[in-house]
Amino acid sequence: MTHIKRISELQVVIGHEVTLNGWLYKNRPSGKVQFLMLRDGSGLCQCVIEKDKLPEDLFGQIKHLGQESSLSITGLVRQEPRSPGGVELAVTAVEIHTPAVDYPITPKEHGVDFLLKNRHLHLRSQKPWCIGRIRHTVIDAIRRFFNDNGFTLIDTPIFTTIAGEGEQTLFEVDYFGQPLHLTQTGQLYLESAAMSFGKVYCFGPTFRAEKSKTRRHLTEFWMVEPEVAYIDLPGLLDLAEEFVFSIVQRVLKDNHDELETLGADIAALEATQTPFVRLSYSEVVDILTSDRTQKFMAAQLEQFQGQKRMMEQELAQIEAADAKGGLKKWQQEKNARRLQKIRSELVELQVKIDNNPKHARLAADFCWGKDLGGSDETIISLMHARPVFVTHYPKAAKAFYMKADTEDDRVVENFDLLAPAGFGEIIGGSVREDDYEKLLARIDEEGYNPDSYQWYLDLRKYGSVPHGGFGLGVERTVAWITGEKHIRQCIAFPRLMDKVYL
Ligand code: 4AD
Ligand code: MG
C-alpha cells in the first residue's frame, strides 16, 4: 500500500513506495528519462521517470508540463546523494491535477518591483520559501523563550488611545467618530500587566507611519515586547542577550539547509556568542569622532573599490565571451543571469562608494546629544563581530517614558541592540520612569495631554516599582540572520511607505 508523504519525511521511508502531492518546480526531459523537480511545501525532491514505466501518452504529456503544474507522483524512495535531501523518487505513477501554462516567475533574474507585484506567486520560489521557514523558526523560538522563562503572554490592543513612540508616526483611524491610532507599541499596556503578572510579553503587528524609504523600515511590522517588574538595566541587557542568543541557536539548529540555500553567513552566526559588546552612547560618540573611525571608513572605501574593479573585470570577460559567439543556449542563459547579478551588485556597490565620504563626515561631525543615525549604527556594528549594546542615550533623543539615569540626569537608562555586519538596530528598550512627578513632567514637556495618560500615571501611584522591557523587530532580526539586505523580503506581504502591492 502506498502512503502519502511529505518530502521532508522521505529519509525515513527509503525503500518504500510513497505518493507525493505537490507542484512542478523544474522539468528536465532527457530522451527516455525525465527528471522532475517536485516541491510540496516541505522541500524539493527529484523524481525520475523512465519511459517504459508510464503509459506513453502520459509520458509525452509530462514532457510539456509547465512550471507550477500541480501533480501527485508515486514512486519508490531511494538514496541519491546528488539529489536535494539525499533521496529521489523512482516514479511508478503520475496524476496531473492542473497543468500550468506560462508561469510568470521563471528561473531567470527578475526585478524587485516585478517580484513584489507577483508576491502571491513569488512566495513559492526558493528564496522567499527559505526566508519564510526561518521567520517561522524565529517566531517559534521567541515564544518558547518567554514561555519557558515564566512570562505570561498578554495581547495588547491594536486600536490605542495614546502614543508610545512619538505622535508623528501614528496612523489615525476613525473609531465611530472618535480618533484612535493603530498601535506603535504594546509597551504602555504591558507595563500595567507587568504589575499583575510580574513578567509578561506581547507579540503582534505594529504600525508606524514612518516617512522613510529605507531598507530597515516597514509601516506594518511584527514586534515582540517583554516587560518585567523589579528589573534594572543590567538585568535587561542579560535578558536581551540570552534571548537573542537562543533565537540564533534555534535557527542554526533547525534551518541549516535554508541558511545555506540563501548563502547566509553561517560562520558569523555561529560566532554570535555571549557576552555581547556593551558600550555607552558617550563611548560610541568617542569612537565615531575618532581617527580610528576615519581609518576604518577609508579601508572600507578601498575594499569597495577593489570589489568594484573585480566585478567590472568579470563583466567585461562575460561580455567578450558572449560577443565571440558559439555558446550553447544554457551557457548564454547562465551568462545572462550572472551579468544581471553583477550589474545589480555594481549599482549597490556604487551607492556604498558614493555614501562612504558622506557617512565618514557625519561620524566625524557627530555631536553629543543627537540620536544615532542609520549610518552611525552601521559603522559601529561593522566594527564588531558580535552584537553591540549601546546604552545611556541622551534624554532628549529618546521616548518620554524612559527613566533618567540616577548618576547623570542628561541620559536615560536605555539600550539599543545593534546586530553585527552593519545591520544596525534590532532591539530598543529601557527602564521606565517609575516616579509619578517626573513622568508627569516628561508628558508635559512632550506636549501630550496628561488626561489621556491618566491610567498610565496611575501605575506610578499604586505600588510603583522599578521595571523595564524592550521590543525586538521580527523582520529586522530575520533580515540580519538570513543576510537579506531589505526587510521587505522578511514578511510575506510587506507594507512600505510608498507602495502596498497586494
Ligand atoms: O526602538 P523601538 O521604537 O522601541 C519600542 O517600540 C519600545 N516601546 C519597545 C519596548 O521597550 N517595549 O522599536 C523596537 C524595535 C526596533 O529595534 C526595530 O527592530 C523594530 O522594533 N522597528 C521596526 N521594524 C520595522 N519597521 C519599522 N518601521 C520599525 N520600527 C521599529
Ligand atoms: Mg529604537
Side-chain angles (χ1 to χ4, degrees):
M1 204 187 106
T2 47
H3 292 282
I4 294 176
K5 286 283 170 200
R6 297 198 88 201
I7 290 169
S8 58
E9 303 165 334
L10 294 184
Q11 274 293 348
V12 293
V13 287
I14 291 171
H16 294 263
E17 192 173 62
V18 302
T19 298
L20 301 174
N21 294 324
W23 296 262
L24 181 62
Y25 197 62
K26 257 185 225 156
N27 191 356
R28 188 156 56 84
S30 130
K32 291 202 171 101
V33 189
Q34 295 193 51
F35 299 93
L36 303 191
M37 194 61 85
L38 190 78
R39 57 163 203 90
D40 76 342
S42 79
L44 290 174
C45 180
Q46 172 162 286
C47 304
V48 186
I49 312 181
E50 289 174 26
K51 196 168 180 183
D52 56 1
K53 296 274 164 46
L54 292 187
E56 202 171 324
D57 57 335
L58 181 59
F59 189 83
Q61 228 179 320
I62 295 170
K63 210 179 226 171
H64 298 109
L65 268 188
Q67 188 185 343
E68 289 306 316
S69 295
S70 51
L71 60 172
S72 296
I73 306 186
T74 302
L76 191 74
V77 183
R78 64 183 182 207
Q79 229 150 8
E80 172 49 66
R82 285 168 299 178
S83 177
V87 292
E88 65 176 17
L89 209 65
V91 178
T92 53
V94 174
E95 187 190 343
I96 300 171
H97 302 297
T98 322
V101 181
D102 295 336
Y103 184 67
I105 301 175
T106 59
K108 70 167 199 166
E109 293 272 330
H110 293 284
V112 174
D113 210 50
F114 175 85
L115 290 177
L116 284 170
K117 272 189 195 139
N118 285 285
R119 192 74 177 163
H120 56 302
L121 300 176
H122 187 218
L123 285 182
R124 306 178 191 194
S125 298
Q126 275 294 286
K127 190 172 161 182
W129 182 81
C130 288
I131 294 177
R133 299 259 295 186
I134 291 171
R135 178 183 169 111
H136 168 82
T137 304
V138 166
I139 289 175
D140 190 49
I142 288 171
R143 292 196 183 283
R144 258 168 224 265
F145 179 87
F146 291 120
N147 294 345
D148 291 349
N149 283 288
F151 284 74
T152 301
L153 173 71
I154 302 295
D155 296 313
T156 51
I158 291 185
F159 290 132
T160 61
T161 55
I162 54 179
E165 301 296 325
E167 287 181 324
Q168 60 289 356
T169 64
L170 286 172
F171 274 114
E172 202 167 283
V173 282
D174 177 354
Y175 193 79
F176 307 108
Q178 181 192 355
L180 292 187
H181 319 110
L182 298 181
T183 182
Q184 284 176 316
T185 167
Q187 178 201 318
L188 308 194
Y189 297 95
L190 213 50
E191 284 181 52
S192 80
M195 301 307 140
S196 171
F197 299 88
K199 289 162 59 158
V200 290
Y201 73 102
C202 66
F203 194 177
T206 308
F207 304 88
R208 301 224 181 143
E210 307 267 12
K211 299 210 176 51
S212 50
K213 294 189 224 169
T214 77
R215 64 186 178 83
R216 295 173 187 178
H217 289 94
L218 294 168
T219 52
E220 177 178 330
F221 61 98
W222 281 66
M223 177 157 66
V224 59
E225 298 177 86
E227 189 73 26
V228 182
Y230 292 103
I231 198 165
D232 57 9
L233 188 59
L236 276 177
L237 299 186
D238 290 345
L239 179 69
E241 188 173 84
E242 212 187 311
F243 170 57
V244 169
F245 179 71
S246 77
I247 296 173
V248 174
Q249 292 308 305
R250 258 298 292 288
V251 175
L252 281 170
K253 183 165 151 283
D254 290 5
N255 300 104
H256 208 272
D257 290 351
E258 287 87 347
L259 288 171
E260 223 157 51
T261 304
L262 291 170
D265 191 344
I266 296 176
L269 289 175
E270 283 166 348
T272 303
Q273 295 293 331
T274 56
F276 297 168
V277 181
R278 296 182 183 199
L279 297 172
S280 71
Y281 168 90
S282 296
E283 285 170 324
V284 166
V285 176
D286 289 344
I287 295 174
L288 286 174
T289 52
S290 70
D291 282 351
R292 177 181 154 205
T293 292
Q294 292 307 311
K295 283 193 192 122
F296 177 81
M297 293 304 280
Q300 283 259 303
L301 185 59
E302 216 167 286
Q303 194 188 329
F304 296 151
Q305 278 160 342
Q307 285 169 348
K308 183 180 166 191
R309 276 194 299 276
M310 276 178 32
M311 280 189 200
E312 282 170 344
Q313 269 169 18
E314 192 186 342
L315 196 86
Q317 276 164 5
I318 296 174
E319 280 172 346
D322 279 345
K324 210 163 146 205
L327 295 179
K328 296 224 168 66
K329 188 153 176 270
W330 69 266
Q331 287 170 316
Q332 287 173 11
E333 281 171 2
K334 193 174 158 208
N335 282 355
R337 278 201 298 275
R338 183 73 195 138
L339 280 179
Q340 204 169 19
K341 190 131 205 272
I342 298 177
R343 287 199 184 106
S344 77
E345 277 173 17
L346 272 172
V347 171
E348 276 173 32
L349 209 51
Q350 193 56 50
V351 173
K352 285 189 190 167
I353 290 171
D354 294 343
N355 279 339
N356 178 286
K358 270 186 267 174
H359 292 169
R361 182 107 315 272
L362 276 174
D365 294 346
F366 195 93
C367 288
W368 196 100
K370 275 200 318 181
D371 200 358
L372 294 180
S375 63
D376 307 313
E377 287 181 359
T378 305
I379 293 171
I380 295 299
S381 86
L382 275 173
M383 285 176 158
H384 298 90
R386 291 183 183 192
V388 181
F389 284 116
V390 183
T391 64
H392 300 97
Y393 282 63
K395 197 168 25 178
K398 289 289 167 184
F400 75 97
Y401 54 72
M402 294 186 180
K403 186 177 170 66
D405 186 72
T406 38
E407 278 155 35
D408 180 356
D409 193 40
R410 300 173 310 151
V411 300
V412 284
E413 290 189 26
N414 83 313
F415 72 97
D416 277 358
L417 180 66
L418 311 183
F423 197 80
E425 179 193 336
I426 57 170
I427 292 186
S430 75
V431 177
R432 320 305 185 188
E433 184 52 75
D434 52 25
D435 180 87
Y436 186 96
E437 295 303 332
K438 284 187 187 158
L439 186 60
L440 184 60
R442 285 292 289 127
I443 288 170
D444 277 342
E445 270 170 42
E446 292 290 330
Y448 297 163
N449 177 2
D451 291 342
S452 312
Y453 288 85
Q454 204 48 58
W455 66 264
Y456 185 63
L457 284 158
D458 260 359
L459 305 176
R460 280 72 185 165
K461 227 156 117 186
Y462 305 109
S464 190
V465 300
H467 66 286
F470 58 82
L472 169 127
V474 167
E475 292 74 17
R476 288 198 193 173
T477 305
V478 173
W480 160 51
I481 290 177
T482 56
E484 182 53 47
K485 290 191 198 79
H486 203 300
I487 67 168
R488 69 183 162 216
Q489 301 299 346
C490 300
I491 184 163
F493 299 100
R495 269 76 185 100
L496 307 167
M497 176 206 155
D498 52 340
K499 269 188 191 118
V500 175
Y501 292 85
L502 46 137

